[in-house]
Amino acid sequence: MLLSHLETLNILSTPVWIVSAHSQHILFANTAARKLAGNSLLGPLRNGQFSVYSQESLEAYLPNLKKGDQIVEIWTIHKEGRAFPLSCRLSLAKFGIQEPAIVFEGSYASSASVPVVNPFPDETKPYRRDESGFYERFFQTNSAPMLLIAPENNGQIVDANQAATRFYGYSRDEMCMKHTWEINAMGQDVLPVMHEIARFPGGHKPLTFVHKLADGNLRHVQTYAGPVVVDGTRLMLCIIHDITEQKRLEQELERAALLDPLTGVGNRRQFMQLVENARTQNPQRTHNFSLMLVDADHFKAINDRYGHNKGDDALVMLARTLETGIRETDTVFRWGGEEFLILLPLTGLEGAMHVAESLRKTVEERVSPDLPALTVSVGVAQYETGEDFTRLFKRVDDALYQAKTSGRNQVQAARGSVTGEFPPLH
């Protein structure tokens, strides 16, 4: 990254953030951005009470940004004890940055967390349905649920088409007695967000919300909303697309991507995601934690003698043994091959050694008539303040190596050494 290129952004009065699309870390924030949001991390900005976006992963935006599509997000800014929404426009970074990065340009910052009043009270008039008009015929025959909303009137729904009444389960008159915050899971927090959206020009990618139906069910929806004038009345047209099934499939795929397909425990990606979430969302918390690296002894000999199918069965049995033997707060991950990594939050070295020895004995004593006997070697290390993950993992790996070279079927603790930074995990 060429920092000198980014420093020129400090002359702008508009807040600008440059964010890595892969790691979702803020690479640069100009002076206006730091003045507005301090040194806030991306997690609180994108996941605050007013935050709305269409994609959880920034990488998912890249194909559309490359095509020049208009994409917006709404962030939550905390300043002087108040929270308010900030509209951001997204574009690809072109500042000599080597990795894919996205520019978030804050277009406007509301001064409070409450809706702004209509600045043109004398230039608008109450909405009236024109049953014979072209707009009414278009509105009612459209197959997509559509709502007309009056932003200046606390988001009152002034009209709904037939597709919307079928989707939400209310009659047209019932819908027109409600406000947007009554059908949105955000509640009244959606009001300042709605006022931000009402200022957007047309053509941007839709945003994602959770809406409540008449029967109490919740549905994930993408909504395109933009300002519209109908017979001289200033309103916001909202077009709703139900993505609940798509969201469910995405969540299932994401869960599957974070699990080891053989044993069903978390995989290395899940562990590293946990590390990244801790780094971006809870960097100030300093609770102790320990890591445990467990390796099945002589596992190659088991595969050679009994075959890989029995070897796989033995790994599944080992995973279940570790899961049932740890505490409720601990988590098992398959690190690769016959190695498993165990995270022990709020646990010092002594406590972790006790858990490790208990697991070692349980594995050694477990007998199955259909599976070969197993023993494990275990390395244990406690996180030390200021330590980065690379160094921490090297210490726990060295401890495992010591356990294996000292005869296997034993637990060894890591020596202490501190370099760099590593975020607490809980």
Side-chain angles (χ1 to χ4, degrees), residues 70-85:
Q70 181 82 279
I71 299 176
V72 296
E73 289 194 354
I74 296 178
W75 286 2
T76 300
I77 301 296
H78 293 273
K79 188 174 184 181
E80 298 176 352
R82 293 193 299 178
F84 52 89

Side-chain angles (χ1 to χ4, degrees), residues 212-231:
K212 296 182 289 186
L213 308 186
D215 61 7
N217 283 329
L218 299 177
R219 306 293 291 182
H220 291 274
V221 298
Q222 280 193 331
T223 66
Y224 167 75
V228 64
V229 177
V230 180
D231 294 331

Side-chain angles (χ1 to χ4, degrees), residues 215-282:
D215 61 7
N217 283 329
L218 299 177
R219 306 293 291 182
H220 291 274
V221 298
Q222 280 193 331
T223 66
Y224 167 75
V228 64
V229 177
V230 180
D231 294 331
T233 303
R234 297 172 181 269
L235 299 169
M236 186 164 67
L237 175 64
C238 183
I239 303 172
I240 296 100
H241 177 53
D242 185 5
I243 60 166
T244 304
E245 182 63 15
Q246 173 186 328
K247 201 75 173 176
R248 183 187 66 81
L249 292 173
E250 287 176 355
Q251 290 170 348
E252 287 185 2
L253 288 172
E254 180 62 23
R255 281 194 295 269
L258 297 176
L259 296 178
D260 173 56
L262 174 64
T263 63
V265 300
N267 58 17
R268 185 180 298 206
R269 179 185 175 193
Q270 185 183 91
F271 176 79
M272 298 310 297
Q273 186 178 93
L274 179 63
V275 170
E276 290 302 321
N277 289 343
R279 189 190 304 275
T280 59
Q281 297 180 21
N282 299 301

